[in-house]
């Protein structure tokens, strides 16, 4: 059977920062939580997906270390982990510096004159 030959993919397993942000719902949750911590119901009210979909996205974000939850009465409040956000910013800063360095190298090259036939 084909199913037996396909590798099992665990969608809940922690993925890299870039993979976590690749999903539009998870990215939207991160953007909303950047404003302030919120409960699942508050997040679901701001998103065009169901509450179970928000819970699933939070589960992945939590597994990846992007969010932490805190019990407040009967509610769970989710907040971004500043260390995870800082690590992504460091990666982006590194990529930005490399891109600027590469651009400066290309711009600094002398222009070669075209040679006609």
């Amino acid at each position: 059977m084909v199913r037996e030959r396909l590798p099992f993919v665990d969608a809940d397993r922690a993925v890299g920062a870039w993979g976590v942000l690749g999903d539009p719902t998870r990215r939207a949750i991160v953007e909303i939580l950047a404003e302030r911590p919120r409960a699942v119901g508050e997040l679901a009210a701001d998103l065009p997906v169901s509450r179970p979909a928000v819970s699933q996205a939070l589960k992945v974000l939590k597994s990846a270390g992007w969010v932490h939850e805190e019990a407040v009465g009967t509610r769970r409040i989710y907040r971004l982990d500043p260390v995870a956000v800082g690590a992504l910013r460091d990666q982006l800063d590194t990529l930005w510096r490399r891109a600027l360095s590469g651009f400066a190298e290309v711009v600094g090259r002398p222009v070669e004159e075209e040679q006609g036939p």
Side-chain angles (χ1 to χ4, degrees):
M1 294 182 72
V2 173
R3 183 179 184 153
E4 294 171 358
R5 295 186 184 135
L6 292 176
F8 176 72
V9 177
D10 184 1
D12 295 334
R13 190 172 51 188
V15 294
W18 299 100
V20 167
L21 295 178
D23 176 75
T25 300
R26 292 191 300 257
R27 191 170 51 250
I29 290 171
V30 167
E31 289 175 13
I32 293 169
L33 290 177
E35 296 171 7
R36 66 179 172 81
R38 298 181 194 221
V40 175
E42 292 176 276
L43 289 166
D46 290 340
L47 295 167
V49 296
S50 67
R51 188 175 175 144
V54 171
S55 293
Q56 181 64 30
L58 284 167
K59 182 177 178 183
V60 173
L61 288 166
K62 185 178 171 192
S63 175
W66 273 85
V67 298
H68 297 286
E69 65 178 314
E70 176 186 357
V72 177
T74 60
R75 298 171 34 170
R76 297 240 179 249
I77 305 299
Y78 293 87
R79 68 183 71 246
L80 281 181
D81 182 324
V83 174
V85 175
L88 181 62
R89 181 173 180 175
D90 289 346
Q91 289 179 12
L92 288 171
D93 286 344
T94 299
L95 290 173
W96 182 247
R97 283 191 300 275
R98 287 179 184 167
L100 287 179
S101 176
F103 177 73
E105 182 181 314
V106 170
V107 171
R109 288 184 190 160
V111 178
E112 296 180 13
E113 293 183 28
E114 287 189 35
Q115 295 178 347

